[in-house]
Amino acid sequence: MGLMKVFSGSEVLAIALQERLEQAGVETTKKDNIQSARLGGFGQTDLAVEVFIQETDFAKANPVIEEFRMSI
């Protein structure tokens, strides 16, 4: 199946969520739009860091994501 975006926000929060998901056994992928824009010479600050998981892992990841959202 495909990737599903589960978070978009600051890099600090993205890394925190990524760590929690990986501790729960869910593989993650991070896309850093801020760094990509900077390297491309655009330098926009309104872009965000995104965290993706496999759609098949959503049932396992959802409780972790909800707990994370309630804690921020």
Side-chain angles (χ1 to χ4, degrees), residues 22-35:
E22 289 175 358
Q23 286 175 354
V26 177
E27 290 187 34
T28 63
T29 302
K30 182 176 76 166
K31 180 179 176 189
D32 189 342
N33 292 319
I34 297 168
Q35 184 71 1

Side-chain angles (χ1 to χ4, degrees), residues 13-65:
L13 291 176
I15 291 170
L17 176 59
Q18 232 184 339
E19 288 175 359
R20 289 185 187 190
L21 287 168
E22 289 175 358
Q23 286 175 354
V26 177
E27 290 187 34
T28 63
T29 302
K30 182 176 76 166
K31 180 179 176 189
D32 189 342
N33 292 319
I34 297 168
Q35 184 71 1
S36 295
R38 187 184 68 77
L39 290 173
F42 300 110
Q44 296 181 2
T45 58
D46 62 337
L47 299 174
V49 177
E50 299 170 331
V51 177
F52 295 85
I53 63 168
Q54 290 291 328
E55 289 177 351
T56 55
D57 289 335
F58 182 72
K60 187 178 359 177
N62 192 43
V64 176
I65 295 165

